[in-house]
Amino acid sequence: MTSNEPTALLQAMTRRRFLRWLLYSAAAASTCGVVAFAWMKRSPLDQVAVPVGQQSLSAAEYHLFRRAAAVLLPTEGRVFAPLAQIPVLENIDSMLALLAPAVRDELSIGLALFDHGALVSGWHGKRFVDLNNAQALDYFDRWATGNTIQRTLATVVKKMVYVAYWRDANTWPAIEFDGPVSDRWGLASLGNAPLPTDQEKRS
Amino acid sequence: MRIVTVPRDGVPVTDARAVASDAALGKQFSVQADVVVVGSGAGGSVVAYEMAKAGRKVLILEAGRYQPSANFTEHLGDTMTQIYTDQAGQINTTGDVIFVEGKCVGGSTVIGACVMQKPADAVLNRWASEYGLPDLAADKLAPTFDLVGEWQGVHVNEAHEINSTAHKVIQGCERMGYSWKPVQRNVKRCALTGHCLAGCPSDRKMSALVTHLPWATAHGARIFADTHVTRVLMKSGRATGVEAVVRDPDTGHIVSNMRVDASVVVVAGGSIQTPLLLQRSQVPDKSGQLGRNLAVQPFTQVIGKFKEPLYGFRGALVGVQVDEFVESHGYQFISGLAEPEQLMVQSEQGAGDEHIEYMKSYKHMAGLNVFALDEGRGTVEWKGGLLDGGKEIKWSPSRSEFNNIVHSTSLAARILFSAGAERVWLPTFQKLHADNVFDLDEQLKQVDYGINGIYTFRMNTFNSHGSARMGVDEYTSVVNPNGEVHGVSGLYVADASIIPEPMAVAPQWTVQVLAKYVSDKIQSRASSHFVS
């Protein structure tokens, strides 16, 4: 044994103790983080039942789009068709049911990310579905100018809600869009075009 | 002398329901034909007509459903669900570009905006000289362009077909000194409903549904709808027919399996479906170009808001085109304002009150549609097994293509400002608008190329082409100058896939002309293809 060995042993023990302390601390912090995240990611809406008969929307997605529609389309007190009278969620459900399975799976992940993104993005500490109107609107606006993923997800949610609303003919009078006119105008069908004649001479 | 009569309305079609109820066909059946045509759109319908007229026994197989004109509702959402490929959700792998395509009897001709444009003579002459395709020279094809155009009532928009949106574009161009002209369309006595993209219920649009398909069936051709061709059959370097499945269009369930034995197979599924079918069929591809060189003509829509109400959604959907930059830059602009639903897809409207204000302005809006020339770097690839595989479409703008889109968008916005627009919304994923021309460039600077240009501009493509290009050399092209796949006798392609390079105009007219050209080539080789 050399004179340096006790010091080295002590140093090693200290280092081991330090590493153990570090490990325990990290584990405790992680556990706290996971517990906090798990606590924050819960929403009172998780306990709220959704109408039966959804073809494609999960319960979480239903609540997400319901919240998004309320924020994106403040029709109350305006000339626009009241949101409650337009089957926005039913239309979204129908659209999603038509997606290819692979695309639908990716969309599910994206929607979950959009919902849970509010836990961290903006430090709201709660999911998008639990944000108040001003926070939710701000969330949309910030994501619309955020990074590529944020822009994409904000766009997807907005696009689906808006398409689902504006595809309904009851929304058109407010913007004076005429909608289908052929029947109203009594347009007669001209039928098939006559068979070409004399074509070979010129071709 | 045989009397050929065309029915007044509709086309005789055998669909999945008819197959299911025909006990004689059962779960598996086969049909014999001289020519089987895969796809019933711009290219397939012309080939079918030409071949049937020449006395060939023709079978047309269409993957989409048959939607008679009388069933069109002028409701875009419903129409997209019924007769657009993937319910108008056919997208690239990054999910930011929609490849719009008709999936019905008549194909994209049914849902198009009737725009009929010829490539410039210089373009056709370049195909002739640089690609070794002398028969495609401008003077050689001119009579066919005239003939095909005349059959479909192609005409220059008259004054009553220029709506208020188009008038704003004219005004802007006049002030900027840009060249413009009325669009040519294939429509007969247009009723100015503005619902072209949802099909024409009064049969004024001269789609294949009211022209080449009824003409072909009048000459004896037979059409199967709901029939998806899984692969081309080949033996000893020769096409011998196809295998297909007939599916219920509502449930997707297979109703029957079909086999067609034919002397000639003509694939005309368009620039996306055609390469996929040829790849599934494992046709020889010495060039490695099958499914490559896909040109997309990225399309964006710039919206301007004017002080006075325009009701720009009324009248003929497309009125005028700005042709100032076609030859110099490869851009063209076409007037047209989308229906509300489509507007939601094409532009960013903000959220909440901002969206409400945006939609309140709808009747004050004019739209200018921007089509930019791209470099043809897109790819289409079939991944996986014959029945359980799927398509993969790849296209994202290169930096120079991205710069072109920025530039063309800027020009379109300037035209609208020159016409008096108070605000212009930019077709970006970011929420961007400009209230004057000085603000415009600052706004556009915010659109960063980012990661390969994805999720920058909100782009669609209506005009993709070039994914099975024509050429002399089997090591650089997919089909030969006759339109026949290199190395497979009797297998032809007659659609936008064979266009040899990216072009800057709407391709329908060119596709129809090329389809007639391919038909003539098949006929010229009749003795080697047909027994009788």
Side-chain angles (χ1 to χ4, degrees):
Chain A
M1 182 182 278
T2 66
S3 59
N4 285 338
E5 278 179 346
T7 315
L9 193 63
L10 188 65
Q11 280 176 342
M13 284 179 69
T14 306
R15 190 163 58 241
R16 268 203 297 274
R17 195 174 299 142
F18 173 73
L19 287 172
R20 195 180 302 132
W21 176 83
L22 197 65
L23 189 67
Y24 289 153
S25 302
S30 302
T31 307
C32 288
V34 168
V35 169
F37 186 79
W39 182 78
M40 285 192 299
K41 79 187 277 282
R42 291 181 313 168
S43 163
L45 289 172
D46 292 342
Q47 310 305 319
V48 178
V50 299
V52 291
Q54 306 298 322
Q55 299 175 68
S56 181
L57 279 175
S58 68
E61 290 168 346
Y62 182 91
H63 291 306
L64 168 66
F65 279 116
R66 191 158 178 270
R67 186 80 198 99
V71 172
L72 293 172
L73 291 162
T75 55
E76 202 176 328
R78 302 176 195 252
V79 294
F80 286 48
L83 185 59
Q85 292 176 17
I86 307 298
V88 170
L89 290 162
E90 289 84 343
N91 288 345
I92 292 173
D93 186 47
S94 304
M95 286 190 277
L96 294 184
L98 294 168
L99 290 178
V103 177
R104 182 68 185 89
D105 290 345
E106 285 172 13
L107 182 64
S108 293
I109 296 167
L111 293 174
L113 185 59
F114 182 82
D115 191 8
H116 289 83
L119 291 169
V120 182
S121 177
W123 301 110
H124 293 296
K126 50 189 170 184
R127 279 162 46 189
F128 167 79
V129 290
D130 296 324
L131 301 181
N132 65 33
N133 280 4
Q135 288 172 326
L137 207 54
D138 178 60
Y139 187 68
F140 267 117
D141 284 343
R142 276 188 297 106
W143 279 49
T145 53
N147 61 40
T148 304
I149 292 172
Q150 289 176 320
R151 284 204 307 267
T152 306
L153 293 176
T155 300
V156 166
V157 174
K158 276 196 278 190
K159 191 156 82 173
M160 301 214 76
V161 169
Y162 290 149
V163 168
Y165 178 80
W166 290 109
R167 74 177 300 171
D168 192 294
N170 293 313
T171 64
W172 299 339
I175 54 170
E176 297 183 58
F177 176 62
D178 306 303
V181 290
S182 288
D183 281 346
R184 218 185 310 157
W185 294 353
L187 293 176
S189 166
L190 300 186
N192 291 327
L195 202 62
T197 54
D198 207 17
Q199 64 264 26
E200 280 76 14
K201 271 193 281 182
R202 281 174 292 154
S203 61
Chain B
M1 181 179 167
R2 194 164 68 102
I3 296 174
V4 178
T5 54
V6 177
R8 195 218 174 261
D9 294 298
V11 189
V13 172
T14 305
D15 60 9
R17 186 174 297 178
V19 171
S21 61
D22 190 339
L25 296 178
K27 292 288 178 195
Q28 190 127 15
F29 65 99
S30 61
V31 182
Q32 304 247 328
D34 293 330
V35 182
V36 59
V37 181
V38 183
S40 63
S45 63
V46 169
V47 172
Y49 167 58
E50 293 293 333
M51 291 289 104
K53 190 178 67 181
R56 304 293 166 202
K57 187 179 176 188
V58 176
L59 195 65
I60 306 163
L61 305 181
E62 167 58 53
R65 68 176 79 212
Y66 173 48
Q67 186 88 314
S69 307
N71 291 359
F72 291 136
T73 60
E74 296 182 324
H75 190 300
L76 188 59
D78 293 347
T79 311
M80 285 177 170
T81 306
Q82 297 273 314
I83 61 170
Y84 279 59
T85 300
D86 297 346
Q87 295 79 43
Q90 181 169 255
I91 49 177
N92 59 348
T93 47
T94 46
D96 58 338
V97 181
I98 302 173
F99 287 70
V100 184
E101 189 182 70
K103 187 182 178 187
C104 57
V105 172
S108 295
T109 68
V110 175
I111 57 152
C114 307
V115 177
M116 298 292 275
Q117 298 176 313
K118 290 180 196 175
D121 284 358
V123 171
L124 296 174
N125 290 335
R126 187 169 61 241
W127 295 358
S129 58
E130 291 186 17
Y131 294 90
L133 305 168
D135 289 345
L136 303 190
D139 60 335
K140 297 263 183 70
L141 288 185
T144 313
F145 268 106
D146 291 345
L147 186 71
V148 171
E150 192 179 319
W151 287 351
Q152 300 174 86
V154 174
H155 69 282
V156 175
N157 268 345
E158 296 178 26
H160 69 282
E161 293 167 298
I162 310 292
N163 72 358
S164 54
T165 282
H167 277 290
K168 283 295 174 193
V169 173
I170 294 169
Q171 213 175 322
C173 285
E174 290 293 320
R175 289 193 181 145
M176 297 287 284
Y178 293 161
S179 170
W180 63 272
K181 61 184 180 185
V183 167
Q184 289 192 94
R185 297 190 303 146
N186 62 334
V187 60
K188 182 172 63 180
R189 289 162 53 195
C190 179
L192 312 180
T193 65
H195 289 296
C196 294
L197 305 186
C200 187
S202 59
D203 287 328
R204 284 146 209 271
K205 180 194 291 184
M206 294 289 97
S207 71
L209 213 47
V210 297
T211 55
H212 294 92
L213 292 175
W215 301 343
T217 55
H219 281 286
R222 192 171 176 199
I223 304 173
F224 276 79
D226 311 321
T227 304
H228 174 71
V229 175
T230 48
R231 66 180 178 131
V232 177
L233 301 173
M234 293 167 288
K235 194 172 179 183
S236 307
R238 201 178 179 94
T240 58
V242 300
E243 278 180 353
V245 289
V246 182
R247 287 182 190 273
D248 182 312
D250 296 318
T251 65
H253 294 151
I254 294 178
V255 169
S256 192
N257 292 290
M258 181 185 198
R259 178 192 168 101
V260 179
D261 295 311
S263 306
V264 167
V265 176
V266 181
V267 181
S271 62
I272 304 296
Q273 312 308 327
T274 286
L276 294 174
L277 171 58
L278 297 180
Q279 288 165 354
R280 284 198 302 270
S281 309
Q282 299 183 332
V283 300
D285 179 24
K286 283 187 183 169
S287 66
Q289 299 302 308
L290 178 59
R292 305 186 75 83
N293 313 302
L294 180 74
V296 304
Q297 261 188 38
F299 160 89
T300 54
Q301 187 176 56
V302 179
I303 301 287
K305 177 192 165 192
F306 292 81
K307 189 174 183 182
E308 69 277 23
L310 299 175
Y311 297 96
F313 42 83
R314 291 179 181 159
L317 180 62
V318 293
V320 298
Q321 66 186 94
V322 183
D323 58 344
E324 174 79 20
F325 306 96
V326 175
E327 286 186 26
S328 59
H329 293 78
Y331 319 144
Q332 66 164 333
F333 309 102
I334 296 181
S335 66
L337 180 63
E339 294 187 17
E341 197 177 335
Q342 197 190 358
L343 200 61
M344 299 305 110
V345 177
Q346 291 180 179
S347 63
E348 166 63 44
Q349 314 88 22
D353 288 344
E354 206 173 341
H355 173 73
I356 296 290
E357 290 304 311
Y358 177 85
M359 288 310 289
K360 273 187 186 168
S361 306
Y362 184 49
K363 66 182 176 188
H364 294 263
M365 290 177 183
L368 190 49
N369 303 303
V370 182
F371 296 84
L373 185 66
D374 66 312
E375 295 157 0
R377 296 176 306 100
T379 62
V380 187
E381 194 174 351
W382 183 260
K383 295 276 192 181
L386 194 63
L387 291 176
D388 62 352
K391 64 190 159 197
E392 187 180 272
I393 306 170
K394 286 185 178 172
W395 185 84
S396 295
S398 67
R399 206 168 271 277
S400 63
E401 288 168 332
F402 174 82
N403 290 338
N404 283 344
I405 296 167
V406 173
H407 184 223
S408 53
T409 299
S410 162
L411 289 168
R414 280 174 158 74
I415 290 169
L416 292 174
F417 275 128
S418 296
E422 295 177 331
R423 169 167 287 188
V424 167
W425 282 277
L426 301 170
T428 52
F429 276 87
Q430 284 160 278
K431 191 177 64 179
L432 295 179
H433 57 76
D435 290 337
N436 55 59
V437 76
F438 305 106
D439 187 26
L440 178 64
D441 292 333
E442 287 306 310
Q443 294 294 321
L444 278 170
K445 274 182 197 164
Q446 294 184 46
V447 192
D448 181 51
Y449 181 67
I451 309 165
N452 294 326
I454 63 172
Y455 289 99
T456 51
F457 284 90
R458 296 169 81 121
M459 290 176 275
N460 294 343
T461 169
F462 293 93
N463 295 336
S464 61
H465 55 274
S467 52
R469 67 186 182 193
M470 181 183 274
V472 178
D473 185 355
E474 64 179 333
Y475 290 99
T476 58
S477 58
V478 178
V479 302
N480 69 22
N482 294 334
E484 195 173 27
V485 173
H486 287 297
V488 187
S489 176
L491 175 58
Y492 290 84
V493 179
D495 59 26
S497 313
I498 63 176
I499 293 173
E501 62 171 11
M503 64 176 194
V505 297
Q508 181 177 327
W509 201 351
T510 307
V511 169
Q512 291 173 317
V513 166
L514 289 176
K516 179 156 180 11
Y517 164 87
V518 170
S519 305
D520 293 344
K521 294 293 183 187
I522 296 171
Q523 275 299 99
S524 70
R525 297 192 57 218
S527 59
S528 66
H529 288 319
F530 305 112
V531 176
S532 58

